[in-house]
Amino acid sequence: EAVPDAEAPTDLGWPRLVLENAAGSGDSLGVSIDDLAECMAAIDAAGVPLSRIGVCLDSAHLWGAGVEISRPDVIDDLLDGIDQRLGPDRLAMIHLNDSKAALGSHLDRHEHIGAGRIGEVGMGHLVTHPRLASVPMFLETPGMSEGYDLVNMARVRALVDGRRLEVLPPEAFALRGSRASVAPTEDPA
């Protein structure tokens, strides 16, 4: 079982390895908090200080894995489980996205903030949760290279302010997914 290692040096200039949870498709690791704890125990057994290991939660992956984060009580229980199984301060970041996929479908299908199956209540609880106030959140939503990153950031701000979200136009739901875009390479000719 992974536990914090307060004795290990943390200020050695070494990078922190961050494990991301998975939605559970194929042969993926880290689908549950218990899976992540097993990965951390193996890392610890290999002699790597656990102070160098963090966790990234992807909200759409949680949903795909069957964690009903549309309900605030489930989010609260999830955070308690992370503290108990992985150790306090282990959560390094959150990939913030809603989900197009059905709960427990094991599919990774990102959606605009508050416009998917997690919805406004779940997304609102995530972005305003006091225990997550110092955890960096990174948007991973559709249409980022088409300007929807600004739209989704405005939606996050609205949730933080306690405002209802505006309905998105139909074309917002026909955009490409949220995978990282790569700058075009120069033509060698």
Side-chain angles (χ1 to χ4, degrees):
E1 174 153 334
V3 293
D5 56 346
E7 307 280 326
T10 58
D11 189 18
L12 299 176
W14 293 340
R16 188 174 192 195
L17 174 66
V18 178
L19 306 174
E20 182 174 348
N21 66 305
S25 61
D27 295 330
S28 55
L29 296 172
V31 177
S32 68
I33 300 305
D34 287 339
D35 286 351
L36 291 169
E38 287 180 33
C39 290
M40 291 181 64
I43 291 168
D44 184 42
V48 177
L50 288 180
S51 60
R52 294 188 50 208
I53 309 300
V55 172
C56 170
L57 291 181
D58 183 299
S59 48
H61 296 181
L62 285 167
W63 185 261
V67 182
E68 195 175 355
I69 59 171
S70 62
R71 296 180 29 212
D73 62 310
V74 173
I75 294 171
D76 295 341
D77 290 345
L78 173 69
L79 295 174
D80 288 343
I82 290 169
D83 286 350
Q84 292 167 3
R85 295 284 291 136
L86 305 178
D89 302 319
R90 191 70 62 206
L91 186 57
M93 67 181 77
I94 293 175
H95 285 169
L96 191 63
N97 39 60
D98 210 319
S99 180
K100 294 178 185 181
L103 177 67
S105 65
H106 301 293
L107 296 175
D108 176 15
R109 303 291 184 267
H110 296 183
E111 186 58 274
H112 298 288
I113 301 298
R117 297 191 181 219
I118 298 170
E120 285 186 49
V121 172
M123 297 305 296
H125 195 65
L126 273 175
V127 300
T128 60
H129 201 292
R131 288 172 61 185
L132 300 176
S134 64
V135 177
M137 296 185 184
F138 299 88
L139 286 176
E140 277 195 338
T141 50
M144 293 178 79
S145 50
E146 289 89 358
Y148 273 86
D149 52 345
L150 295 174
V151 170
N152 280 293
M153 195 63 233
R155 293 172 74 77
V156 169
R157 287 186 185 106
L159 291 174
V160 168
D161 292 342
R163 292 181 280 124
R164 298 280 311 182
L165 298 179
E166 294 181 19
V167 175
L168 290 170
E171 58 268 15
F173 300 99
L175 296 167
R176 288 186 3 245
S178 61
R179 296 295 175 235
S181 54
V182 177
T185 58
E186 288 185 37
D187 186 5

